[in-house]
Amino acid sequence: MSPLARYTGLIERYRDRLPIDDDAEIITLREGNTPFIRLRNIPRRLAKEVQLYVKYEGLNPTGSFKDRGMTVAVTKAVAEGSRAIVCASTGNTSASAAAYAARAGLTAFVVIPDGKIAQGKLAQALMEGAVVIQIKGNFDDGLRIVKALVKEAPVTIVNSINPYRLQGQKTAAFEIVDDLGRAPDYHCLPVGNAGNITAHWIGYCEYAGAHGECLTSACLFCGGKCPYARNAVSDKRPVMVGYQATGAAPFMRGHMVDQPETVATAIRIGHPQSWEQAWKVQEESGGWFDECTDDEILAAQKLLAEKEGIFCEPASATSLAGAMRDIEGGKIAENSTIVCTLTGHGLKDPDAAIRQSTGPLLRVDATLAEVKRAILGNMA
Ligand code: F0G
């Protein structure tokens, strides 16, 4: 049997580096093990020589990286006897929470901003049997309410303030090092709540640490003696670069943003929960934050689909949009190895894709002659 045929999810694969008890009932949908793809055509268009990879997290079971955290958070919720989970979400967390709750036999309550989540994500939460609560407010309002709510109701919060979420998400960094044989020079991510950039840094640090060695203060988990640093798998860690959408860029403004706005609804967040940790990631890794306009984000999404055949949602393309600019501008060094995380699948947000699509959509009669004419008239 091939090793892939035996793949049973990220908890089993990285169990010795995760907070899972031996007798735990694992709630999994075989998440993780996502494609790590070297780009072919986009690097040729850049003025600088680089090795550019994407980690296609849209190919997780519910179409986003959230599944990595959710398998751990829901496995823990079940172990602790919880009967219901709750989250605020811009869409992907709700889709993932709903799916893992369904699998575990729990109830999922998801609080989403009215009218501001992509259709695919709403469809997922509804089909997967979550109780969907639309609020007349944004994600930040929702999270504030959910954080207060869990002090008064017997439900487990599965937003990234639940520490098990980041523990699951750190495995993406393990996979990259395992696939590449070492850590990349730069790792670029879209930043909303800043949980994922923090989780990746934790993962890289644990893979670089010797036994028990804690290499980051951004991980609030171990209190100084890392139980998951076993043997140093990689000898270096990447520079971490976080890109935000211009209308929702608190890390660029240096303070919280009250009315975030961007076409990339997944990262329409003005009050990031992992604010302190993400600044530590930036400092410890020697990285930086920057912002991309909605136009840059959409252009990168389209370029990736057209030139590489990889379809991600708008928020995900923020990593590539920023990376391309920083490669061209020389901030990212020539000849380096760069990984961009593509956080969610393009099918999550078909409206955004169709709105900006310029590809020919021809209507012709159902005859050989007409179809042939359409084809010959459009040959490259
Ligand atoms: N990309 C996508 C597709 C997302 O859904 C999110 C966050 C991010 C990037 C940002 O990650 O928050 O860890 O910095 N989505 C959350 C949600 C907020 O509710 O689905 P982050």
Side-chain angles (χ1 to χ4, degrees):
M1 203 165 30
S2 83
L4 280 185
R6 283 199 303 272
Y7 184 75
T8 53
L10 63 84
I11 290 183
E12 287 303 342
R13 180 167 179 192
Y14 294 113
R15 195 166 184 142
D16 63 338
R17 292 181 185 264
L18 288 167
I20 302 290
D21 292 334
D22 289 346
D23 59 351
E25 181 196 352
I26 309 298
I27 308 300
T28 177
L29 290 165
R30 307 287 189 263
E31 55 295 306
N33 199 25
T34 53
F36 183 60
I37 306 166
R38 181 157 177 192
L39 298 186
R40 280 166 56 92
N41 300 317
I42 291 177
R44 290 190 192 136
R45 303 164 65 93
L46 301 174
K48 307 280 174 62
E49 189 69 37
V50 287
Q51 284 91 55
L52 186 54
Y53 291 82
V54 293
K55 180 71 170 157
Y56 194 11
E57 291 287 273
L59 286 204
N60 273 296
T62 77
S64 85
F65 71 95
K66 304 289 180 179
D67 297 340
R68 291 183 184 274
M70 211 54 76
T71 184
V72 179
V74 174
T75 293
K76 291 306 272 191
V78 167
E80 286 160 10
S82 178
R83 292 177 44 221
I85 59 175
V86 66
C87 66
S89 179
T90 56
N92 281 325
T93 302
S94 60
S96 185
Y100 284 81
R103 185 87 170 155
L106 307 181
T107 305
F109 297 98
V110 306
V111 176
I112 57 171
D114 197 6
K116 288 284 185 182
I117 89 164
Q119 286 292 309
K121 304 174 188 180
L122 182 60
Q124 287 178 289
L126 292 170
M127 283 299 283
E128 292 157 1
V131 179
V132 179
I133 304 165
Q134 286 203 335
I135 53 163
K136 294 176 188 153
N138 61 26
F139 169 83
D140 301 311
D141 298 319
L143 191 53
R144 183 172 35 79
I145 294 166
V146 166
K147 279 165 78 177
L149 174 107
V150 292
K151 295 189 183 128
E152 298 179 17
V155 286
T156 303
I157 191 165
V158 293
N159 281 105
S160 57
I161 57 166
N162 176 327
Y164 301 124
R165 277 276 313 275
L166 299 196
Q167 287 295 309
Q169 285 170 218
K170 75 185 181 184
T171 60
F174 296 165
E175 286 178 18
I176 291 165
V177 176
D178 289 344
D179 275 353
L180 200 58
R182 62 187 170 86
D185 299 312
Y186 299 86
H187 191 132
C188 304
L189 293 116
V191 170
N193 253 326
N196 208 27
I197 195 168
T198 305
H200 277 78
W201 183 240
I202 293 169
Y204 284 122
C205 288
E206 287 182 9
Y207 249 26
H211 191 86
E213 190 181 14
C214 172
L215 291 181
T216 175
S217 61
C219 173
L220 306 175
F221 207 73
C222 74
K225 190 169 183 316
C226 183
Y228 307 121
R230 313 216 161 269
N231 53 314
V233 179
S234 61
D235 57 358
K236 59 173 253 182
R237 296 174 289 169
V239 171
M240 302 296 292
V241 187
Y243 297 109
Q244 300 211 279
T246 295
F251 285 99
M252 295 308 292
R253 308 294 160 257
H255 56 75
M256 302 295 167
V257 170
D258 280 338
Q259 300 291 338
E261 211 42 84
T262 168
V263 68
T265 52
I267 50 172
R268 190 169 163 269
I269 295 171
H271 289 240
Q273 288 303 304
S274 296
W275 175 256
E276 303 285 341
Q277 293 99 302
W279 283 116
K280 285 180 186 154
V281 172
Q282 184 252 320
E283 201 182 303
E284 291 174 2
S285 75
W288 62 90
F289 295 108
D290 209 337
E291 62 192 278
C292 301
T293 64
D294 281 1
D295 285 350
E296 285 177 304
I297 293 170
L298 292 174
Q301 181 198 20
K302 193 149 180 280
L303 187 71
L304 190 62
E306 277 182 3
K307 300 298 173 203
E308 304 282 357
I310 301 170
F311 189 23
C312 68
E313 67 170 288
S316 309
T318 311
S319 57
L320 180 66
M324 287 192 301
R325 199 176 57 208
D326 282 340
I327 292 165
E328 297 274 15
K331 212 167 168 188
I332 290 179
E334 201 156 1
N335 296 317
S336 53
T337 299
I338 305 139
V339 177
C340 291
T341 296
L342 302 177
T343 44
H345 202 289
L347 290 174
K348 293 272 191 177
D349 195 348
D351 298 329
I354 290 169
R355 252 195 327 267
Q356 69 150 333
S357 169
T358 50
L361 205 172
L362 309 173
R363 272 181 79 87
V364 300
D365 288 339
T367 63
L368 171 62
E370 284 283 294
V371 174
K372 188 170 148 194
R373 189 163 50 193
I375 288 174
L376 294 181
N378 282 284
M379 297 281 274

